Amino acid sequence: FLGFRNKADLNSFELHFPNTTIDKFLCSSGVPDEYVKEITEERNDKRFNSKTWNYIYVGMLIDRKYPDIVLEALINVYKDRHFYYSVIGEGALSKKIERTAIKNKVSKNVRLLGRIPRNEVVSCMVNAQCFIMISKNEAFGLVYLEAMLAGCIVIASRNEGIDGIIIDGYNGFICEAGNKSELEKVILKIQSLPIDDLEDISKNAVDTAMKYTDYKVAKLYLENVGV
């Protein structure tokens, strides 16, 4: 048997080795069961009708994850309107994000939280409307599932690890990695959707994430290899 971390890698392998007869399957990551319990207990109904949306990023602040591009896109989309951008994580781009916020006079909108305890990350996700990470070279990205479990509208990268689990317009949205112009269009599209549609996408995200718990993924592994 040959397992692949994501659909994009499986498709790439089949393209380069079309005549391989070995059995292939997807071996996605699973959200720890205790985390599922924790976030389910804290999760509340998202207020998508809120005048001020809270966008969130969780991960290393490095070039290939583009947290700085997210801020630039939000600034361009919102112009003179108010928004919040919570950035959780550490890395070299922290100073750049801070400088961009100062330059564009949105320092009060941007919260650089650094590395914080897991329970605080849960609270931040639960209180955010939208999670954005348009990174490249992402093997899977468990944090996407965690954000979906929290009911966030998730914007993820096309042809990367989570693509195929997130279905554009159904349980989240897909954008080319690092593409600021496309990200702006996706954010504008989300803003144009009726509240009922946003609530449906949020519910679909939760339902999808619930299929990827540690236990369910491990069970699927065993089924795929005939145990």
Side-chain angles (χ1 to χ4, degrees):
F1 301 91
L2 192 57
F4 293 85
R5 297 283 287 117
N6 57 64
K7 187 177 180 181
D9 285 350
L10 172 59
N11 291 342
S12 177
F13 181 88
E14 291 182 332
L15 178 66
H16 288 90
F17 305 99
N19 299 319
T20 303
T21 58
I22 191 171
D23 289 331
K24 298 177 287 291
F25 70 100
L26 290 175
C27 48
S28 307
S29 296
V31 179
D33 294 285
E34 63 272 15
Y35 183 81
V36 174
K37 182 176 184 293
E38 179 184 359
I39 202 167
T40 300
E41 289 175 349
E42 188 166 342
R43 186 178 62 233
N44 49 33
D45 293 332
K46 295 288 183 184
R47 296 179 59 191
F48 293 115
N49 60 347
S50 174
K51 291 183 178 179
T52 304
W53 269 37
N54 184 10
Y55 295 84
I56 188 170
Y57 167 91
V58 181
M60 295 178 65
L61 308 185
I62 56 178
D63 288 334
R64 72 173 182 85
K65 289 182 176 282
Y66 305 110
D68 53 328
I69 296 297
V70 174
L71 175 57
E72 293 172 14
L74 289 170
I75 290 170
N76 290 342
V77 167
Y78 275 83
K79 301 186 185 301
D80 296 327
R81 293 180 295 137
H82 203 55
F83 68 91
Y84 285 120
Y85 179 39
S86 300
V87 183
I88 298 175
E90 298 175 337
L93 290 179
S94 177
K95 293 296 183 183
K96 181 180 180 182
I97 293 170
E98 186 176 7
R99 289 196 300 269
T100 299
I102 293 171
K103 178 182 177 181
N104 291 276
K105 300 178 181 179
V106 293
S107 295
K108 293 182 179 180
N109 306 52
V110 180
R111 296 179 281 202
L112 286 159
L113 301 176
R115 186 185 296 272
I116 60 177
R118 184 63 172 262
N119 65 310
E120 293 182 25
V121 175
V122 170
S123 295
C124 289
M125 282 188 171
V126 164
N127 291 311
Q129 280 82 19
C130 184
F131 174 89
I132 306 177
M133 188 170 77
I134 52 170
S135 55
K136 65 180 179 181
N137 300 327
E138 200 72 55
F140 186 80
L142 191 58
V143 68
Y144 290 119
L145 288 179
E146 295 170 348
M148 293 168 74
L149 193 62
C152 293
I153 303 295
V154 174
I155 305 176
S157 306
R158 184 181 298 111
N159 296 324
E160 296 291 338
I162 200 68
D163 193 353
I165 292 176
I166 291 182
I167 301 171
D168 192 63
Y170 171 72
N171 57 4
F173 293 88
I174 298 295
C175 173
E176 181 185 4
N179 189 324
K180 180 168 65 176
S181 176
E182 185 177 0
L183 177 58
E184 292 171 8
K185 292 176 183 177
V186 174
I187 295 171
L188 286 168
K189 180 180 180 180
I190 292 170
Q191 291 180 351
S192 72
L193 292 174
I195 300 300
D196 288 349
D197 287 0
L198 293 172
E199 290 175 346
D200 286 344
I201 293 169
S202 173
K203 181 181 182 301
N204 293 337
V206 173
D207 291 345
T208 299
M210 287 298 294
K211 298 176 183 177
Y212 291 88
T213 66
D214 271 351
Y215 176 80
K216 291 177 181 177
V217 169
K219 187 171 182 290
L220 186 61
Y221 280 16
L222 295 176
E223 291 173 355
N224 278 314
V225 297
V227 176

